Amino acid sequence: MALTKVHYRMIAGSAINVMDYGAVGDGVTDDTVAIRAAITASDLAYFNGKPYVVYFPPCQGNNGRYMVSETLVITRNGTCWTGDTAVRRSQPTAIAMLGSATDTTLINITAEAPNFSNLSFEGNTSDDKLVKIFDIHPNPRLPYASEVAALGLDPSTLYNFEDVDIEFNNCNFQFSDSALHTYGRGFYVDTCEFFAVTTAITLDRESAYQEGQFSDQKQATGLRGYAIRNNRFHGMGASSFVIKNVGSNKQYVNGVLFTGNYIDTTCSVIRGPLNSSTFSGNNHIAINNIVFDAITNDSAGDGRGAYTNLTITGNTFNGTSTASSATHFLSTTSGYTVSNVTLSGNSIRNVFNHVVNIAGNIENLVVNSNVFADVLGANASGGPALILNMQTSGTIKGFSFTGNSILTASSYAGNSHLIGKNASSVLTGYSLEGNAFDTSEFVITNMSSSPWASADNSPSVIGRTFCETNTAAVTINDLDDGVTGQEILVLSKGAITFDVTGTNLNGGSTNIVTATGDVTKWICTDGTNWSLLMVMDNSANNSP
């Protein structure tokens, strides 16, 4: 029988052409059976230890697509699919789910090291978008099963230490609830475009395995990370996410490198905790949500978390032009600690609420050499807008705010502050140097500064830097709940005496007698005792 066309599979080591197996690519015909046949042929035809490349040639016409009605499954390690970049100019060859399809996943993967390039993947183009384009699982094969068994671990729960090492280059992802949903590590997305998706990338750890916890292949080959570079995210709404870290083991996600991306949509960049990750050189415009949001929804099974070893540097973020209660820049939830976070060299504009909103603890937060413009317009929940807001009781240990420039928004009401603390939160070890403000009203303040009780001669100063006495006359002989290094200003609102003879207050041999308007400043020297730093007598002439 004469051949009417060249069959790629006849050439050793060349690609498997899906059209050789009956695929049409006209945007109407169901090509599921043909594509599955091509996948099977690729799996069986090994070349240099890998399956043959599955090639999707140009579709027919401007609206051409390879339509499928059921999930396509990839199980062979090293699978490679590629299309043709010359087709439809901005969109490569497309694989799409038929509108009548009942399956909710376009492609399911249980393999290591698959590669996809020059292809467009589309979920159901109907309005519901309830399609997961890629469902990516590690291969359950365990190459180091003997070592795992020796440690007394259950191999069935480790999923080959969750390696997937999947790569996407020059691909498009459209019309989906979740474009890329990965349960494993080793994830590389470069020069791709995401359009009209609710969540672009979902990280969903299946096990609690931690890199480097024993001598395994990770230490020999390097830890598997998540490199997301040079991509565009477009047409995603305010309730959408570029990256969403979910699942019961999300705290073990490490090594996200998010760099050189362009986000021209009103979504959040990240929801969920991250460790040892870098966000650099990105451009995010039209923000109408929290950019870095560690608050997650327990009712949806996401759990909660925070950030550890996170660097955010050299980015441009531009919010929307209207105030919104959600427009914090970085926000975390209560009960968790933000540690070793650097926010440096960024240009941040139009953040109408708190720039950094923390509802837990902070250890080593560095904010330096950033440019803040049109910020602190209002706090939608009332009160001042803040650069750093300690929303609930917690501890700030190590906060550096240096070398920044701040220009407030036109709607700035004159009641904003640099740092705002809940009355029961504690601030120790901070540096505020070399910053440029367009207002002199930035101070460190408590969000609550209610006066001391009238008869309390040992009032609590937990977490405070400023306190007001009651108007009733009283002798103070102690300041309770202080921490070493804590400094506090006390404004007298009546005839207040500080007993510095034989008490925990040290200030000479004569009691300090103050009147309304006088100010004293104290420092806690050892967690119990306080030393007097300054007395300002409001009735005296204090001119130089």
Side-chain angles (χ1 to χ4, degrees):
M1 182 179 69
L3 294 176
T4 57
K5 60 181 177 180
V6 174
H7 289 254
Y8 282 80
R9 65 180 184 274
M10 297 177 62
I11 305 172
S14 65
I16 298 291
N17 188 331
V18 295
M19 286 190 173
D20 287 348
Y21 293 84
V24 179
D26 60 0
V28 178
T29 303
D30 186 348
D31 290 324
T32 305
V33 173
I35 294 174
R36 284 177 172 173
I39 294 172
T40 300
S42 171
D43 290 348
L44 295 175
Y46 260 56
F47 180 72
N48 288 337
K50 293 183 179 181
Y52 280 18
V53 173
V54 178
Y55 173 59
F56 293 80
C59 299
Q60 297 184 23
N62 292 332
N63 296 317
R65 292 172 176 83
Y66 293 96
M67 306 303 296
V68 297
S69 58
E70 297 177 354
T71 300
L72 302 175
V73 177
I74 296 174
T75 60
R76 183 70 73 176
N77 292 348
T79 292
C80 179
W81 290 12
T82 189
D84 194 328
T85 56
V87 179
R88 298 168 61 200
R89 298 183 63 184
S90 64
Q91 291 187 348
T93 307
I95 304 169
M97 185 72 83
L98 278 167
S100 59
T102 57
D103 283 0
T104 57
T105 299
L106 181 63
I107 300 171
N108 184 284
I109 298 174
T110 55
E112 292 180 49
N115 182 287
F116 302 87
S117 61
N118 307 329
L119 290 167
S120 180
F121 301 96
E122 300 179 8
N124 195 322
T125 56
S126 62
D127 291 336
D128 56 37
K129 301 179 190 173
L130 298 179
V131 171
K132 190 184 295 182
I133 293 180
F134 276 88
D135 203 26
I136 306 161
H137 296 261
N139 189 325
R141 176 182 59 81
L142 284 165
Y144 295 88
S146 59
E147 184 173 11
V148 172
L151 290 165
L153 301 176
D154 181 3
S156 65
T157 64
L158 291 180
Y159 295 94
N160 190 27
F161 300 124
E162 299 192 352
D163 292 347
V164 290
D165 295 332
I166 191 168
E167 294 190 31
F168 297 93
N169 295 280
N170 193 36
C171 291
N172 290 341
F173 306 91
Q174 304 183 69
F175 309 119
S176 172
D177 179 60
S178 179
L180 304 178
H181 192 127
T182 179
Y183 298 87
R185 304 172 306 172
F187 187 82
Y188 311 95
V189 183
D190 199 333
T191 321
C192 295
E193 181 170 347
F194 296 79
F195 173 74
V197 297
T198 303
T199 302
I201 298 165
T202 303
L203 307 180
D204 192 354
R205 288 291 295 267
E206 284 190 311
S207 83
Y209 169 74
Q210 299 179 54
E211 294 91 337
Q213 69 181 32
F214 51 81
S215 177
D216 59 30
Q217 75 273 31
K218 293 300 152 304
Q219 293 182 331
T221 62
L223 305 184
R224 265 60 170 180
Y226 307 83
I228 304 164
R229 299 172 291 204
N230 308 317
N231 304 286
R232 184 190 181 195
F233 301 87
H234 176 63
M236 300 163 61
S239 59
S240 299
F241 305 92
V242 173
I243 303 172
K244 196 171 184 181
N245 186 14
V246 303
S248 58
N249 295 302
K250 60 188 171 297
Q251 66 270 28
Y252 300 120
V253 170
N254 293 274
V256 173
L257 175 63
F258 191 87
T259 182
N261 299 286
Y262 183 67
I263 309 166
D264 55 346
T265 186
T266 59
C267 63
S268 292
V269 174
I270 173 70
R271 168 163 282 190
L274 282 182
N275 301 305
S276 303
S277 298
T278 298
F279 291 77
S280 66
N282 303 288
N283 191 343
H284 188 183
I285 64 173
I287 303 165
N288 193 31
N289 209 329
I290 303 171
V291 180
F292 295 89
D293 183 9
I295 299 175
T296 53
N297 185 353
D298 279 332
S299 62
D302 293 339
R304 294 172 181 253
Y307 299 119
T308 303
N309 294 338
L310 178 65
T311 298
I312 306 169
T313 182
N315 303 282
T316 299
F317 297 97
N318 188 11
T320 58
S321 59
T322 58
S324 169
S325 61
T327 55
H328 305 305
F329 178 77
L330 186 150
S331 185
T332 67
T333 194
S334 60
Y336 289 83
T337 298
V338 173
S339 61
N340 302 336
V341 174
T342 300
L343 185 65
S344 175
N346 301 283
S347 177
I348 300 172
R349 186 173 179 228
N350 286 336
V351 179
F352 277 82
N353 210 326
H354 310 309
V355 175
V356 178
N357 185 58
I358 305 296
N361 301 314
I362 294 176
E363 294 179 357
N364 297 334
L365 173 62
V366 175
V367 181
N368 72 285
S369 302
N370 300 284
V371 176
F372 299 93
D374 296 328
V375 296
L376 309 178
N379 178 356
S381 59
L386 309 161
I387 293 293
L388 171 63
N389 175 42
M390 284 294 289
Q391 183 179 350
T392 59
S393 60
T395 301
I396 306 175
K397 295 180 181 179
F399 174 57
S400 175
F401 190 86
T402 59
N404 301 283
S405 178
I406 300 176
L407 299 177
T408 52
S410 59
S411 56
Y412 171 71
N415 65 345
S416 295
H417 304 284
L418 177 60
I419 305 175
K421 301 194 305 88
N422 182 282
S424 58
S425 60
V426 177
L427 173 62
T428 60
Y430 60 89
S431 175
L432 312 172
E433 299 178 352
N435 299 289
F437 306 103
D438 65 342
T439 173
S440 61
E441 300 180 16
F442 287 100
V443 296
I444 300 175
T445 181
N446 292 314
M447 296 188 68
S448 172
S449 58
S450 57
W452 292 338
S454 59
D456 192 353
N457 60 5
S458 57
S460 173
V461 295
I462 183 171
R464 295 195 176 192
T465 55
F466 173 78
C467 291
E468 295 180 3
T469 73
N470 199 277
T471 56
V474 68
T475 297
I476 306 296
N477 55 39
D478 196 5
L479 300 174
D480 284 347
D481 304 317
V483 295
T484 302
Q486 180 179 357
E487 295 184 10
I488 185 170
L489 289 172
V490 179
L491 173 64
S492 295
K493 301 301 291 266
I496 307 299
T497 298
F498 294 90
D499 184 354
V500 296
T501 60
T503 70
N504 289 332
L505 303 181
N506 303 300
S509 57
T510 303
N511 290 341
I512 309 300
V513 179
T514 65
T516 300
D518 293 346
V519 176
T520 56
K521 185 176 183 180
W522 304 83
I523 184 171
C524 185
T525 56
D526 58 8
T528 301
N529 293 289
W530 294 79
S531 293
L532 181 67
L533 295 177
M534 178 268 290
V535 178
M536 187 187 77
D537 183 350
N538 194 48
S539 64
N541 183 1
N542 294 312
S543 300

